[in-house]
Structures are given as C-alpha cells and as structure tokens.
Amino acid sequence: MPPYYNLYNIKFDRLLISILSLIFLTSSLLKFVSLNNFISENELVFKTIFPHNLITPISILFLVYEFTLGIILFINFMIKISIHLAILTIIFFIIINITRLFISPQETCGCFGEIINLKIIDSLALDIFMLIISFFVMRRTNNRINMATSKLLT
C-alpha cells in the first residue's frame, strides 16, 4: 500500500485544510462585522481599478466568496478544485497586501476586520504561510488522487 493511503497522512491533510478553512471563515466573518471599515479600506486600494460605485458590491461579493470558500474547504467538497481556488485567493491577498504596503502603509491591514488588528507585514507573513500549506496539501492531494486513479485503471 502506497504511503499516500496512510490514514494518518489523510488526517494530517484534513487538519491542514481545516486550518485554512477556519482562517477563511474567521476572516470573512470578522470583515462582515466591520463592513464599513472593510469597504473604506478597499476604496483606497481599488479606486484606480474600479469605479467608485462598484467597490461596495465587489467588496460584499468577495466576502461572500471568501465565506463560501471556507465552508467548501471545511466540508471537503471538491477538494482538488477548492484547493486551487484557495491558492488563487491567497495569491490575490498577497498582491493586495503588497499594494497596501506601498500605497498606504497603515498600521493595520483590516484583513480580520477591526477585531483582530494585524500589521500589513504580519498579514503578508500569514498569507505566505497559508500559501505554503495550500501548495503542500495540493501536492499531496494530487498524488493521492493520481495513485487511486492509476490503481483503478490497472
């Protein structure tokens, strides 16, 4: 039996995916609690990209997307696709944080609303940590799926 089918490896992957999902869920819920602050911070970053009247709906849609991604990861639904979506989302967060770092170096990034105050550098470190976890889980999940598929085909 290949090591990818080891029950402890699968449980470890589930633990890492649960950590990612809880970070996404916590972030979206805390941003929703301080929605006005979140929208005003997005206006600073996106004012050159989007018209002013579209920033609020885009911000709310992104919160819904982030919450939904957290739920999908937590229930382990279509894990291969959801991990790829998580990686794209985290890369987007990294780009946003780098932009905020250079455009408006604030004390806090607002990544977890007003309740948890993270500096932009701390948020960037968290995003890089989440990206490493996501790539690690993606690689292990792809290997496990490929092994199972090749075993079924032979």
Side-chain angles (χ1 to χ4, degrees):
M1 181 179 280
Y4 303 111
Y5 292 108
N6 188 342
L7 183 61
Y8 295 110
N9 286 340
I10 294 171
K11 285 185 178 182
F12 182 66
D13 291 347
R14 281 298 306 142
L15 175 69
L16 293 178
I17 292 169
S18 296
I19 290 170
L20 283 175
S21 70
L22 289 175
I23 291 172
F24 278 119
L25 288 170
T26 304
S27 173
S28 63
L29 289 174
L30 292 179
K31 286 177 197 169
F32 186 72
V33 168
S34 58
L35 187 60
N36 290 333
N37 186 37
F38 175 67
I39 291 171
S40 65
E41 288 178 4
N42 283 343
E43 287 176 356
L44 293 174
V45 176
F46 294 122
K47 65 183 174 186
T48 58
I49 300 171
F50 298 113
H52 180 71
N53 57 349
L54 288 180
I55 292 176
T56 300
I58 289 172
S59 298
I60 293 171
L61 283 175
F62 189 75
L63 281 179
V64 170
Y65 165 76
E66 187 179 5
F67 181 78
T68 306
L69 181 61
I71 293 291
I72 288 172
L73 284 169
F74 193 75
I75 63 172
N76 205 20
F77 182 71
M78 295 176 51
I79 197 64
K80 194 170 182 180
I81 293 172
S82 57
I83 288 293
H84 283 87
L85 287 174
I87 288 172
L88 290 174
T89 306
I90 294 167
I91 290 171
F92 177 72
F93 287 159
I94 290 172
I95 292 170
I96 293 298
N97 282 330
I98 291 173
T99 304
R100 284 185 178 165
L101 190 63
F102 291 115
I103 289 178
S104 60
Q106 307 168 6
E107 283 291 318
T108 61
C109 69
C111 302
F112 288 93
E114 295 176 349
I115 297 173
I116 299 175
N117 292 324
L118 283 180
K119 294 181 181 176
I120 296 176
I121 297 294
D122 297 336
S123 176
L124 197 56
L126 176 66
D127 290 340
I128 291 170
F129 173 72
M130 288 173 56
L131 190 64
I132 290 169
I133 288 175
S134 298
F135 278 126
F136 180 73
V137 170
M138 181 187 71
R139 183 171 164 255
R140 289 170 55 103
T141 304
N142 286 342
N143 287 341
R144 199 168 46 246
I145 291 172
N146 291 339
M147 292 296 286
T149 305
S150 64
K151 193 167 190 161
L152 286 175
L153 295 176
T154 57

